[in-house]
Amino acid sequence: MDKVLAVILGGGRGTRLQPLTKLRAKPAVPIAGKFRLIDIPISNCINSNIRNIYILTQFNSVSLHRHINSTYKFDSFTRSFIEILAAQQTIESEQWFQGTADAVRQTLPNLRAQNMENILILAGDHLYQMDYEKFINFHREQGADVTVAVRPVPRDQASGFGILKMNADKTITDFYEKPAENELDGLESVADSPDRPFMASMGIYVFNRGLMVRLLAGNSGHDFGRHIIPYAIKELNVKAFEFDGYWEDIGTIKNFFNTNLALTDPIPEFDLYRQDRPIYTRPRFLPASKVQDSAISKSIICEGSILEKCEVNHSIIGIRSRVGAGSKLKNTIMMGADFYQTKEELDIERSSGSPNIGIGRNVVIENAIIDKNARIGDNVRLVNEKGVNESEEYGFEVKEGIIIVHKNTIIQSGTVF
């Protein structure tokens, strides 16, 4: 895979994932208690022997840059690299990235400088494990100009994706970007799977390098899905690579919430424990978690956490989390903290009545996302008793019925919702 260059698109605003993306880029959003979304495509690349990687960034990118720079360092004696290409104004273009294809178009000078045979285009916000080596080899064996990774989906999901039609030799003949439900008849491609008859684009592409340069230079379209791929299908040999493994686009708060909690299943569809395909992330050198007289069921407890006489059910407890005595967490994602408070800081804040970082004593929380460094005082009850679906009135946020405590937020003792 020495002749493959991976380009990971990490510059989108992630508006549907707000408020988790209010202070960070979408690929920097924590997942599974200790990883970031960007770790998934990078780990897939490393596990597939692809070690020439550009990451394109734009919005709220400081924490994303910090994570990448502190995590991924290749040997100085190899030609491997992971390099960030941030959006910038140049003589050629004074605009920021206008879409996925435009982002790659504006970085073409960097792509031309690399002597690569194929360009692998990846999203920075999907959860899946794929062997890109099989993907690349399929592309080469088929003699394709472009190959699109696709997966079968049922009718009730099809309108959320780009739907393509392919013939028996995997050639893509038509592409429809997020067709309406009443437009789906006749778009089926999978005759032997009536439950999942439609082929959806995963937003993952392989291009021959020279061809991609000519396509982007000669086409002003901003997005791969809406503009470049439909044009290529009409003019070029575009193939479909079928992937039938686990894949999730972390697009909304509800999807983020459910996808995270699904990782607590006894045998989750996304396997964090595969020895042959590890997920890499920043090494933090944290101590093991300390659990005192607590009841924990169907949960993930990440390193460096301290749990004291509490109950945790169907939840994820992120790194450096603290949960006080008598507290009960259910269906909760706690992202943890970026640092530990010293004993002196804890004592001073406790004596002044200010909550420490983490969750205090006798707290009850259900169906919630607690972002990093949040401070929740004693005797707090956050269970959404009134069934509020959307709100920003309470010092925290409710989206799709899920309580979201913002990063660095303070919830005073005695708060009830």
Side-chain angles (χ1 to χ4, degrees):
M1 296 288 107
D2 291 342
K3 290 294 185 179
V4 177
L5 173 66
V7 178
I8 302 175
L9 304 172
R13 288 181 181 270
T15 52
R16 293 184 300 157
L17 210 55
Q18 291 243 19
L20 302 181
T21 52
K22 183 178 181 180
L23 299 175
R24 57 168 76 92
K26 187 178 177 183
V29 172
I31 192 165
K34 62 175 291 182
F35 304 103
R36 307 272 187 147
L37 282 173
I38 193 66
D39 292 327
I40 305 304
I42 294 178
S43 296
N44 282 338
C45 285
I46 294 172
N47 293 329
S48 303
N49 298 311
I50 297 173
R51 303 198 173 201
N52 303 301
I53 304 169
Y54 281 137
I55 301 172
L56 277 51
T57 66
Q58 182 162 248
F59 296 102
N60 284 337
S61 59
V62 172
S63 65
L64 179 60
H65 289 187
R66 184 186 304 121
H67 177 75
I68 293 168
N69 289 330
S70 62
T71 304
Y72 299 101
K73 302 179 188 297
F74 289 137
D75 193 319
S76 299
F77 297 97
T78 71
R79 295 184 178 180
S80 303
F81 64 86
I82 294 184
E83 187 173 334
I84 296 169
L85 300 179
Q88 59 181 341
Q89 292 178 312
T90 66
I91 294 175
E92 290 79 14
S93 175
E94 295 184 356
Q95 292 185 321
W96 303 114
F97 297 155
Q98 301 300 303
T100 55
D102 185 65
V104 178
R105 182 185 294 113
Q106 291 197 39
T107 56
L108 281 179
N110 302 88
L111 272 60
R112 289 192 184 101
Q114 300 295 332
N115 182 26
M116 298 293 170
E117 179 181 340
N118 300 115
I119 308 295
L120 175 64
I121 305 295
L122 305 170
D125 52 9
H126 297 166
L127 186 65
Y128 66 110
Q129 291 176 315
M130 179 189 285
D131 186 346
Y132 298 141
E133 193 164 357
K134 293 180 179 178
F135 186 23
I136 300 293
N137 287 338
F138 172 86
H139 171 82
R140 292 173 176 173
E141 290 165 2
Q142 294 290 318
D145 298 313
V146 184
T147 300
V148 182
V150 300
R151 62 190 296 268
V153 297
R155 188 182 187 93
D156 62 355
Q157 295 180 15
S159 294
F161 297 96
I163 299 298
L164 56 88
K165 289 198 70 174
M166 65 182 189
N167 59 27
D169 68 353
K170 311 301 182 185
T171 299
I172 299 175
T173 57
D174 291 288
F175 187 93
Y176 304 86
E177 180 66 13
K178 296 183 178 179
E181 201 280 335
N182 61 2
E183 299 173 333
L184 291 173
D185 290 338
L187 303 188
E188 299 88 345
S189 286
V190 191
D192 60 349
S193 180
D195 293 335
R196 296 188 298 166
F198 301 96
M199 274 297 180
S201 169
M202 297 170 63
I204 301 173
Y205 316 105
V206 179
F207 290 83
N208 294 334
R209 188 193 67 156
L211 176 67
M212 191 189 73
V213 170
R214 293 195 299 274
L215 269 175
L216 293 179
N219 189 309
S220 61
H222 292 329
D223 290 294
F224 282 111
R226 293 179 183 175
H227 306 117
I228 304 303
I229 298 303
Y231 173 81
I233 289 170
K234 296 176 181 178
E235 304 291 333
L236 303 167
N237 180 20
V238 182
K239 295 290 186 177
F241 175 79
E242 295 182 56
F243 176 77
D244 202 19
Y246 177 85
W247 179 85
E248 283 289 345
D249 178 0
I250 310 297
T252 65
I253 288 294
K254 192 76 166 182
N255 184 253
F256 174 84
F257 182 75
N258 291 334
T259 299
N260 266 274
L261 292 184
L263 297 173
T264 67
D265 291 343
I267 304 178
E269 290 188 79
F270 183 81
D271 190 357
L272 292 168
Y273 299 91
R274 287 185 60 178
Q275 188 170 340
D276 61 327
R277 302 195 71 80
I279 307 300
Y280 299 97
T281 193
R282 179 182 174 186
R284 297 179 177 89
F285 311 109
L286 292 172
S289 291
K290 183 164 56 176
V291 181
Q292 300 177 358
D293 300 326
S294 298
I296 301 172
S297 62
K298 200 179 180 183
S299 297
I300 293 174
I301 311 297
C302 294
E303 60 264 41
S305 297
I306 301 174
L307 282 63
E308 179 184 0
K309 298 180 181 178
C310 59
E311 296 180 19
V312 179
N313 177 29
H314 196 212
S315 297
I316 292 180
I317 306 300
I319 57 172
R320 303 189 190 89
S321 292
R322 298 182 71 104
V323 182
S327 292
K328 299 180 180 180
L329 275 60
K330 182 179 180 181
N331 301 332
T332 295
I333 300 168
M334 188 175 179
M335 292 186 177
D338 290 318
F339 56 90
Y340 286 117
Q341 291 180 286
T342 66
K343 185 178 183 302
E344 290 76 15
E345 290 171 334
L346 292 171
D347 292 341
I348 291 172
E349 290 185 351
R350 192 175 293 118
S351 63
S352 67
S354 176
N356 301 140
I357 292 177
I359 293 175
R361 299 168 181 169
N362 302 313
V363 172
V364 178
I365 299 178
E366 294 183 9
N367 300 315
I369 299 172
I370 313 299
D371 208 337
K372 280 195 168 185
N373 307 328
R375 300 164 182 255
I376 298 178
D378 298 338
N379 303 305
V380 170
R381 183 177 176 84
L382 302 180
V383 297
N384 196 3
E385 292 176 341
K386 296 181 180 179
V388 175
N389 193 56
E390 303 281 336
S391 179
E392 298 182 23
E393 301 177 5
Y394 300 94
F396 45 84
E397 201 161 330
V398 183
K399 291 192 71 172
E400 300 179 85
I402 299 165
I403 299 168
I404 307 170
V405 178
H406 294 196
K407 185 177 182 180
N408 303 319
T409 292
I410 298 175
I411 304 296
Q412 297 293 347
S413 296
T415 299
V416 175
F417 172 72

